[in-house]
Each structure stands twice: as C-alpha cells, then as structure tokens.
Amino acid sequence: MKLRQSAKDDSGAFAVLFAIMFIAIVGLSALVTDVGYWYASKRQLQTAADAAALAGCQDLAHGMSNGAIWATAEDYAGRNFGTPLTLAECTVVPPSANGLSDIGSNFVKVTVESNSPAFLSRVLGRTTTLIQAQSIARIGYITGARSPAPWGVPLLQATRVEVSAGGGPFGLLTEQAGGLWTGAIPTGSLGEVLVRAFNDQTLDPAYPDGVPEDAEGAGYVVRIPDTAPFTAISTARLTDGTEYPGSMVFTSGSADKVVVYVTVGSPLAAGQSLAVTRGNQDIAMTAITSTLYRAQFAPPTTTDLQESFVFGVKQKKAGSTLYDLDPAGRFLVRRSTFPISDITLQPSALTSTTTGPVQVTVKLNDYEYGRRYELKVTGGGAEVGNFMAVDFSTLHHPPYWTQQDPVEYPAMPNGTSVNYYPYIEGNPGFNFVMHVGDAVWTEPGNLSGPQTRNALLERFGGEPSNFEAWEAAGKPESNRLVLVPVVEKIQEATGQTPLRVISFATFYVEDVVVQGGDVAVTGLFVEYTAPSLDVVDDPPGPFAVQAVHLSAEGLDF
C-alpha cells in the first residue's frame, strides 16, 4: 500500500512540473518565432536606411538643398519596404541637428524605425517592439580604385604656360580662374603659333620644370599687306549656336564649325566675291554688310591627338583670282581628351596700323559631366604611344616609377595583348588596386581590333545601352560603367611613356564604334563613383573624385 501511494503522489508532482514546463516551452517558442520576425524586420530596416543615406548623400555631393536631399532619402527608404514590413508600418525619422537623422556638410544620417507587432509572444504580455536601424553615408575622396579599365585619360595640371609665333621668343601667360591662362605674343612675332604648357610632374630629373605639352599650329599671326583689299580677318568657333570670337581650337567629330570673318576696305565691285580656301576647296563668303563677309565650314576630323590646318582668303571675279592671301590663318583640331581645349588670338591678322600685341587666352581641358570622350582611339600620328592603352604590369607605387625599379604588384599578369583584353572584360581574377600617385606606362600598339569589341560585349553581359534610362533610375550599378585612371605625363611621349595617376573618372560606355575594322571606344563622363577600397575624408589633390560611402563613424547605435 505504501508503495502504491508513493507512486500516485509522484504522478501528481510530475503533472504539475509538466504543466510548468509546457508553459515555458510555449513562451520560448513564441519568443523564438517573434525574434526571427524582428530580426528579418531589422535587416529590412537596415537595408532601407543604407539606401536612403547613400542616395541622400549623393544629392548632397551634387549640391542639392536639404529639402531635396531628404525627399530623395525618404524615396529610397520607401523603395526597400515590402517584406516583411510594409511602408505603412515604418517611419523615417525626420532630420534634426544632432538628431537620430541629420544632414551635415559632408554626411547624411538616416534612422528608420517600426513598432513591429508581436504574435505568439502576446502570451507573455508583449504587444509591439520598437525596431530601429541607422546608417550614415559620407562624402569622401578616392585615393585608390579596384581593377580599373586599361585605358588612361590625360589631364594637365599646368605650372607654366607660354606662347610664341613663327619661332620667335616666348611670352609667359598668367594663370586666371577656371583653368584659363592669359597673356600676349611678343610684339613683332608673325607666323605659326605654338602654345606650350608644363605640368607639375618632376619625378624625372630631365624635367625639373615639369613635362611640356605642345599645341602646334594653334593659330597663325599674319600681316595683311597694305595692297590687299582686306582690312581685317578673324575667326570664331560656332558651338551649339554660340560663337566664340578668336577661337582657334575645334573638337574632332563634334558639331563645331569654323567661322571666318573678312572686312574689305570698300564695297566689292559688281561681279566680285570673296572665298575662304581650304586646300583645293573654295568656300563662298556671304555679305553681312557692304564691307563685312562671313563663311563657316566644318573642321576636318582627325584621329591624331591634335592636327593643324591652314586656310586662305581670296578675292575673285568671274572665276578668276584677283587677290590671294594664303595663309590667312590656321586652326587646330583636337581629340576631346587633348589637354588644351581652347586657344584664342585677338587679333590674329595685323595691318600696318595695328597697335599693341596679339592677346592670347589658353583654356586647359577639364572633363564635363554628360559629354562624350574617347577612351580608346584607333590610331593617329600626332603622338607615338598615345592610343590611350596602359600596361598594368608596369604599375609602381611612389617613389618608384621607372621600368627598371622594382614592380610592386608581383602577382600582376604581364601587359601583353593576351591579358589586355581580359582587363577590358573586367576579369575578376585581376584583383588589384591602383592608387593616386602610382606610375604606369603606356601600352604601345593600336590594340583596337575586334577583340576590343568582343571584350566589351563580354563586360556588358547583354545589358542594353540606355543612358537616359540609367540616369532616370538614379544611376544604379551598371555593367556599362567603366572606371579609368586620369593620368599626366612623367616624360614626353615616346613608344612607351610613363604616366602618373592623378585621379579616376567613371564613364558610361554606349555603343562600340567600328571604324574601318578598328574599334573606337567613347564614353559619357558621369557623376558616379564605383566602389573603392581607399576613400579619405579630405581631397588628395586638385582633381580628386568624390566617393559617397557608408561609414561607421558617428552612429548613435
């Protein structure tokens, strides 16, 4: 009897213990289920906060107002709600000074929160849980880029610019704002104009004053004889409906027009006319007034880095030439990437009564967002080794830069064409970082055959070209975005030329153009920065590229 009674008592105790354990298990299961939901919600909120901060900071980098920045941030946060949280269940905390959300001079901080509902854990008395996620995006500057394309676009940081005419003495120009240099050709100099600009690259002891960049034939200073019927000759560049007086530089392949004005001392007699001569071609001039005539024509195209062309002016009657002034002027046609973008001469045609020197303005090239630039050209004889390809196997960190110095990228494949095309493809096996200040040598040879096109098509991965749609979508990541180094010469160009990396630029490559069997690559310069391992808060140089990036600095939680 005692044994039976004891067993009965144990059974009752076990039932009580089981009931308690059952409640605990149910409660724990409820917490596990809800915590899993809250964790998924937290991840979604963090994604929304990251996207909002990056998008808002991109607007901050573009100089937008705080209102526009925050509208963008809210828009991008909203795009990331849906599962498990809906937009109605979430709140983007409004910005305030030093608040959970904030807009600073170089950062955007976004906090997104939700009172997430409890489900099974309601049995424990919990109905909602506040879940928050915070993100900060900052404006930084790129000092290094991972695996860029094997092309280099040139830029010129001038320390001195000088000009001469007809082989005469040089006159120094004075630096102005906006990349402009102004001055005059020494009085009495006539003939072909030469502009020479020096960069600040002095790594090579042979160039203690920097490396020169010459613009040869960038105009012609002519003296009009007293016996000529012409009293004035001037040029202008017509671009997008606007004339730029005195301009002598035109971009190959653009819609630029060469405009020539000629003034005569007295109205022409009946049957007489004026013409601008280009080679064997006569371009008729149109009378603007009884003594002022105008003609315009398209400049020749060139694959050279730069090429100079002469024009003359004729007075004619019934097909016969009464007076021929040749040359009457000269102009330069350049690639869009040539480091000198414009040169103006006023006046370029002198008479016996002209007083004062020829005034000169030189504008250095700067890359403008939305414009097309050559990333790889098909050839040209103006400068050996300037087909714009670079040899990554020659990469050096400073202070080294010559090919004899130790190469500091020991795992880098060699720079032959065997590897050049995989670099274009963006082969993930080529995992390296090029830095501002590094040196790299040009890759000689044309390297613009069908393999270039095939490599780019491989890189694009079937993504169609639609620049407008890409911009409208908020400039997302795209296979058509190509990051390239911006470079400056360490020596004057030879078969292989050392270049120094001074910045990076991103281009959207549209269609690949085949020209006579060769492939020319152009891209639209865009305000976009590919992910980078090396970003600093302060610009490393005058042409630093901004990089919007997420940061852990300044987070509240």
Side-chain angles (χ1 to χ4, degrees), residues 407-421:
V407 176
E408 299 187 18
Y409 294 84
M412 185 76 68
N414 66 51
T416 66
S417 60
V418 174
N419 291 303
Y420 171 76
Y421 298 107

Side-chain angles (χ1 to χ4, degrees), residues 224-473:
I224 303 173
D226 292 339
T227 56
F230 322 123
T231 59
I233 300 170
S234 63
T235 63
R237 185 183 77 249
L238 179 64
T239 302
D240 299 330
T242 301
E243 286 191 10
Y244 297 88
S247 180
M248 299 292 178
V249 179
F250 303 83
T251 303
S252 180
S254 71
D256 288 351
K257 294 290 188 296
V258 182
V259 180
V260 179
Y261 287 97
V262 174
T263 302
V264 293
S266 59
L268 298 181
Q272 293 183 352
S273 62
L274 297 182
V276 174
T277 60
R278 273 278 305 114
N280 296 323
Q281 181 186 14
D282 284 0
I283 303 163
M285 303 196 76
T286 301
I288 305 300
T289 68
S290 62
T291 57
L292 178 62
Y293 286 75
R294 180 186 186 276
Q296 73 176 51
F297 55 92
T301 58
T302 183
T303 56
D304 288 352
L305 190 63
Q306 54 168 320
E307 189 172 356
S308 181
F309 299 91
V310 172
F311 69 88
V313 177
K314 282 182 180 179
Q315 182 188 31
K316 302 172 64 177
K317 182 176 182 180
S320 299
T321 299
L322 301 179
Y323 195 93
D324 187 2
L325 182 61
D326 190 7
R330 199 175 189 104
F331 59 90
L332 194 71
V333 180
R334 63 183 279 273
R335 292 184 201 157
S336 60
T337 53
F338 182 58
I340 296 173
S341 65
D342 198 14
I343 298 167
T344 64
L345 305 177
Q346 291 182 312
S348 59
L350 313 178
T351 67
S352 58
T353 60
T354 302
T355 59
V358 176
Q359 298 298 318
V360 181
T361 299
V362 174
K363 188 177 190 309
L364 301 181
N365 189 43
D366 195 5
Y367 293 94
E368 298 179 31
Y369 292 123
R371 287 190 175 273
R372 286 178 177 81
Y373 295 92
E374 295 96 344
L375 302 180
K376 180 68 182 72
V377 297
T378 60
E383 193 164 289
V384 177
N386 200 269
F387 301 111
M388 303 180 76
V390 294
D391 178 359
F392 283 147
S393 74
T394 64
L395 273 174
H396 291 74
H397 285 309
Y400 303 119
W401 64 272
T402 68
Q403 290 185 323
Q404 289 73 38
D405 286 330
V407 176
E408 299 187 18
Y409 294 84
M412 185 76 68
N414 66 51
T416 66
S417 60
V418 174
N419 291 303
Y420 171 76
Y421 298 107
Y423 283 129
I424 298 175
E425 291 177 15
N427 189 319
F430 299 153
N431 189 16
F432 64 97
V433 178
M434 174 183 270
H435 299 89
V436 171
D438 282 357
V440 65
W441 291 64
T442 57
E443 176 75 63
N446 201 345
L447 294 175
S448 60
Q451 284 177 279
T452 294
R453 180 177 183 274
N454 295 339
L456 280 169
L457 293 178
E458 183 72 23
R459 184 188 192 103
F460 297 157
E463 182 181 329
S465 171
N466 194 329
F467 177 71
E468 289 76 16
W470 174 76
E471 276 200 314

Side-chain angles (χ1 to χ4, degrees), residues 92-140:
V92 182
V93 176
S96 60
N98 301 315
L100 291 177
S101 295
D102 194 6
I103 300 173
S105 61
N106 68 340
F107 72 89
V108 173
K109 180 170 67 173
V110 178
T111 298
V112 185
E113 60 186 23
S114 174
N115 280 307
S116 185
F119 299 103
L120 297 179
S121 59
R122 288 177 181 270
V123 299
L124 302 179
R126 180 183 292 274
T127 57
T128 61
T129 294
L130 178 64
I131 301 174
Q132 292 180 311
Q134 187 178 76
S135 183
I136 289 181
R138 295 184 179 276
I139 299 174

Side-chain angles (χ1 to χ4, degrees), residues 153-170:
V153 293
L155 199 64
L156 176 62
Q157 301 173 99
T159 56
R160 187 170 91 251
V161 180
E162 54 190 27
V163 61
S164 73
F170 281 95

